[in-house]
Amino acid sequence: TAMTTSLLTEFTKKDLIRVLDAVRGKKGLVIDTTCSGPLSLVAEFTLLKEHGTEKVYHLEDRVFETECKSLLYMTRPVIEQMKWIANQVRHHPEIEHHVYFVPKRTLICERVLEEEGVLGDLHLGEFYLDLIQLESDVYSLETNNSFKSIYIDGDPTVLNSLGQAIMKLQILTGFIPKVLGKGDHAKFLFNSLLKYRNQFLVDNGKDTLIQPEFDSMILLDRNVDLLSLMRTQLTYEGLIDEIFGIHSSFVELEPSFFSNQQATSAKAKKVLLNGQDQVFQQLRDHSFEMVGDVLSEIALRLQSEEDQRHQAKTAPQLKEFAAKLGGLQQQRQSLSVHQKIYDYMLKYCGSPVTDRLWKTEEQIATRQTDAQFFDYIDDLISRNTNYQIVLRQLALYSLTLGGIKSKNYDQIRLDMAQAYGYQHILTFQNMEKAGLIKKSDGTKSPYGGIMRGLRLINDYHSSLNNQDISYIFAGFAPISVRLVQFATTHLDPKQENPPKASWKGHEEVLKLLPGDLFEETIPTKGEKGFRKNQADQTPSTLVVFIGGCTLAEISALRTLGTLSGRKYCILTTGITSGNKLINQLS
């Protein structure tokens, strides 16, 4: 709700002010680049300035000169960055240094600072920038390396932060009475949430409980659905992320997207992509093929609204139009930018390379690949195509067909090491550990049963856009969202929607996916009145992605909500994509 949004923002702002005021007087703010985007969504520079910030620096692997008497570092608990901070402390021993970890400090980081010989020169603290509301229906921890931390390093830090973030949300929106989960980390997280909840009730009593906004919560391990991560996102917002990269709702665009001139000296500009942009809001969840028509509709609507100035004769009419004018001009500017993004997309998507890539993805999804697939991979490597694209294709092949033959696997790994660098032997190892690729071992892939059981493949035509969640991949439904659909909607359209959330009836197909399966009703003694009141409100489900989710999956969940009459909110450790995931593992 709007109140939840306001309270979350207010909590974060108050905590930011606490941190800033803890360092007296004028100071320099040294910020981890992965924190700058989330921070800008909750506080403007004027707030930093009001609380003594003279200058803002990015935390990098270099020593910088400064005239500030104090430096305040805001950093994720990353070992490498502790060494960067140590170098800066040694370079400026005369300066007072304060290090605030986002969202939690860790013993290993403190140990690194101690080994570097600077721990005694530092003031340490924590800044709880742990739950960022990117949209009214999307919450994120915005941790860029959450998948690697959880599934490769086995680091519980992100899971603990996620548990505390869910707890914070439940304190604001009410404790969720029904929890479904799939995955081993989902089960671990659920047990942690039970402990947090019981401790809260001991400390605060049941009188503090409020009516829950969500009637159910679904916890999903990311490795339950790796296929959707590896495929190219074909929604407008998802494709922007694939081509340009979206980070904390910001995309960086060249000057040519804002003018007709090919400016070479001007810097790239960051653009905020969220629901405040009315044009983007109408485009974001559509499949790429529909965007041209929607842009035309928006242009016609704006022209019609601008032409109303000719009908405005009286003073009240002129005043009413003047009030709308600023918003219309803003939409017109936004339309121009999005038209140029779309034109760029047309060139990208119309290239033979992209066309071949997407056709190959479709063939893999339907298991219609042949021996030519490996010739295609050889061709990609010989052309020095981005290694992320090559690895995503290999992962899709391995996931659907149960692995890659040993002979092909070894040759491709050698070819990639020679073409892209021998560091990618480690990338292969990480991908193996994550379950993305493996050598064939003779065991049958469960993908066929999953594909049929979850109805992943659907007839697709762009005119049927948004009639089924499979539109986001041109006829292939994301496993993650199909699971949510099976759990929270009636598959028979004749039955009244929406039902109570449950895995019941789908256990067999769920067994084919990795990890624990559970469904729990939380003890709700003293909360019976809440249950009765819930019948009067729109059924709502909180969907939690452990290890990141894609923008296309978010679009699919919004579409599912429109089709089913149930509201879905997303909470994730971060917004990810195939390229972002491969970068984490590289």
Side-chain angles (χ1 to χ4, degrees):
T1 64
M3 182 178 291
T4 304
T5 303
S6 175
L7 286 170
L8 277 174
T9 303
E10 198 59 35
F11 283 168
T12 307
K13 278 186 180 177
K14 281 184 178 179
D15 201 47
L16 175 61
I17 290 169
R18 172 188 66 82
V19 171
L20 293 171
D21 290 348
V23 183
R24 295 177 187 173
K26 302 295 183 182
K27 65 197 71 93
L29 178 61
V30 187
I31 189 164
D32 182 335
T33 52
T34 67
C35 297
S36 57
L39 187 63
S40 66
L41 294 174
V42 295
E44 306 211 350
F45 181 71
T46 50
L47 179 69
L48 303 179
K49 202 169 182 180
E50 285 169 8
H51 291 269
T53 304
E54 290 184 312
K55 196 162 184 182
V56 177
Y57 307 91
H58 276 140
L59 180 58
E60 297 173 326
D61 186 15
R62 65 177 183 87
V63 171
F64 58 86
E65 299 301 327
T66 180
E67 296 178 359
C68 298
K69 299 288 176 66
S70 300
L71 286 179
L72 168 59
Y73 303 85
M74 284 186 185
T75 177
R76 303 279 185 192
V78 178
I79 291 172
E80 186 181 21
Q81 291 174 190
M82 297 305 103
K83 296 176 181 178
W84 301 351
I85 292 171
N87 288 337
Q88 188 69 22
V89 173
R90 284 191 289 265
H91 187 70
H92 285 293
E94 76 286 358
I95 289 178
E96 200 174 272
H97 300 271
H98 300 254
V99 178
Y100 277 77
F101 292 94
V102 179
K104 291 282 186 180
R105 62 205 279 182
T106 61
L107 287 172
I108 192 167
C109 284
E110 289 185 37
R111 195 175 300 132
V112 171
L113 291 170
E114 187 175 21
E115 289 170 357
E116 292 287 326
V118 298
L119 185 61
D121 302 318
L122 299 172
H123 303 272
L124 302 183
E126 296 174 337
F127 173 36
Y128 305 113
L129 187 67
D130 58 351
L131 190 59
I132 306 298
Q133 189 156 17
L134 300 179
E135 292 291 353
S136 61
D137 59 349
V138 182
Y139 303 90
S140 175
L141 301 190
E142 287 301 273
T143 49
N144 292 349
N145 63 341
S146 63
F147 185 89
K148 182 176 182 292
S149 294
I150 295 168
Y151 297 98
I152 304 300
D153 302 334
D155 184 352
T157 306
V158 176
L159 281 175
N160 292 335
S161 296
L162 180 58
Q164 287 160 2
I166 294 172
M167 189 64 193
K168 181 188 286 188
L169 189 62
Q170 287 191 117
I171 290 170
L172 294 175
T173 64
F175 285 99
I176 302 169
K178 187 72 175 283
V179 182
L180 284 66
K182 179 61 178 169
D184 296 336
H185 293 99
K187 186 66 174 179
F188 174 87
L189 180 61
F190 171 72
N191 289 332
S192 297
L193 288 172
L194 276 184
K195 291 175 187 174
Y196 294 149
R197 180 183 185 280
N198 292 337
Q199 188 59 51
F200 177 85
L201 293 177
V202 168
D203 294 342
N204 300 278
K206 288 182 178 173
D207 293 340
T208 58
L209 294 175
I210 60 173
Q211 180 177 327
E213 291 182 22
F214 300 103
D215 59 64
S216 54
M217 173 164 59
I218 299 178
L219 308 175
L220 291 175
D221 273 25
R222 182 68 264 180
N223 67 352
V224 168
D225 179 17
L226 295 171
L227 272 171
S228 300
L229 266 181
M230 294 296 105
R231 289 206 60 161
T232 304
Q233 303 172 78
L234 298 180
T235 57
Y236 180 65
E237 185 174 17
L239 203 48
I240 291 176
D241 193 24
E242 296 280 0
I243 298 172
F244 302 100
I246 298 175
H247 303 279
S248 298
S249 299
F250 287 92
V251 63
E252 198 167 278
L253 298 173
E254 295 300 318
S256 57
F257 285 91
F258 306 97
S259 68
N260 294 322
Q261 299 177 354
Q262 296 293 324
T264 54
S265 58
K267 290 183 179 180
K269 182 180 177 183
K270 284 189 175 181
V271 177
L272 180 62
L273 296 178
N274 66 11
Q276 295 173 22
D277 180 341
Q278 291 183 47
V279 173
F280 177 66
Q281 182 66 9
Q282 293 175 69
L283 295 169
R284 65 191 312 174
D285 297 322
H286 281 286
S287 70
F288 164 71
E289 292 174 300
M290 295 296 294
V291 170
D293 291 341
V294 179
L295 282 168
S296 298
E297 290 171 9
I298 294 170
L300 288 171
R301 175 182 60 78
L302 288 176
Q303 188 62 56
S304 173
E305 291 186 30
E306 288 167 351
D307 288 345
Q308 288 177 10
R309 68 183 183 277
H310 301 304
Q311 280 80 49
K313 306 295 183 184
T314 65
Q317 288 174 334
L318 288 167
K319 188 176 181 181
E320 183 183 353
F321 180 78
K324 291 170 57 178
L325 186 59
L328 291 173
Q329 289 173 338
Q330 200 170 31
Q331 288 185 64
R332 180 64 72 181
Q333 290 172 357
S334 176
L335 179 65
S336 173
V337 172
H338 288 291
Q339 183 65 58
K340 286 175 181 174
I341 291 174
Y342 177 64
D343 291 343
Y344 187 96
M345 281 182 173
L346 284 175
K347 292 177 185 175
Y348 173 85
C349 299
S351 73
V353 173
T354 304
D355 183 60
R356 176 80 188 276
L357 177 70
W358 291 359
K359 282 180 178 175
T360 302
E361 288 186 3
E362 288 179 27
Q363 289 170 353
I364 294 172
T366 53
R367 303 206 293 182
Q368 294 177 352
T369 51
D370 50 32
Q372 291 182 341
F373 172 77
F374 294 105
D375 294 334
Y376 172 58
I377 294 296
D378 288 342
D379 185 55
L380 289 177
I381 294 171
S382 65
R383 292 173 182 269
N384 204 33
T385 308
N386 285 345
Y387 73 91
Q388 295 99 327
I389 291 175
V390 181
L391 290 174
R392 286 171 73 171
Q393 298 303 298
L394 289 170
L396 284 170
Y397 183 95
S398 180
L399 288 164
T400 55
L401 294 169
I404 302 168
K405 287 182 179 178
S406 183
K407 178 183 174 183
N408 296 119
Y409 185 97
D410 292 337
Q411 186 60 53
I412 290 168
R413 184 171 59 176
L414 178 61
D415 292 344
M416 288 203 66
Q418 290 174 340
Y420 301 104
Y422 283 90
Q423 72 273 16
H424 286 297
I425 291 175
L426 179 59
T427 307
F428 267 78
Q429 290 175 0
N430 284 338
M431 289 183 71
E432 282 182 29
K433 191 172 181 180
L436 283 162
I437 56 172
K438 68 172 187 174
K439 291 183 181 180
S440 300
D441 55 10
T443 56
K444 186 180 178 182
S445 168
Y447 175 71
I450 295 167
M451 181 174 66
R452 290 186 297 273
L454 294 180
R455 308 177 193 178
L456 298 184
I457 308 298
N458 296 268
D459 291 333
Y460 173 76
H461 191 276
S462 59
S463 62
L464 300 175
N465 179 45
N466 297 24
Q467 295 304 303
D468 182 78
I469 59 169
S470 58
Y471 82 94
I472 70 167
F473 295 129
F476 177 84
I479 293 172
S480 57
V481 184
R482 194 65 102 199
L483 290 179
V484 174
Q485 182 178 16
F486 275 27
T488 59
T489 68
H490 290 302
L491 299 183
D492 181 356
K494 294 178 184 177
Q495 295 190 56
E496 188 177 341
N497 265 319
K500 292 181 179 179
S502 176
W503 293 130
K504 192 175 180 181
H506 309 295
E507 293 90 346
E508 288 306 309
V509 69
L510 283 161
K511 286 177 184 176
L512 299 175
L513 296 166
D516 206 344
L517 177 71
F518 61 94
E519 178 176 324
E520 301 281 354
T521 300
I522 312 297
T524 52
K525 187 178 178 182
E527 300 173 38
K528 290 181 181 178
F530 296 167
R531 298 291 187 88
K532 293 176 182 177
N533 291 333
Q534 279 185 333
D536 301 326
Q537 62 187 54
T538 303
S540 300
T541 299
L542 179 67
V543 183
V544 180
F545 288 88
I546 305 168
C549 77
T550 66
L551 292 165
E553 287 171 311
I554 292 172
S555 292
L557 282 166
R558 288 177 180 144
T559 298
L560 181 59
T562 302
L563 295 172
S564 69
R566 177 177 282 275
K567 182 181 177 183
Y568 297 96
C569 282
I570 297 95
L571 197 161
T572 176
T573 51
I575 304 299
T576 191
S577 67
N579 287 350
K580 290 172 184 173
L581 181 69
I582 297 296
N583 287 341
Q584 284 185 50
L585 303 179
S586 299

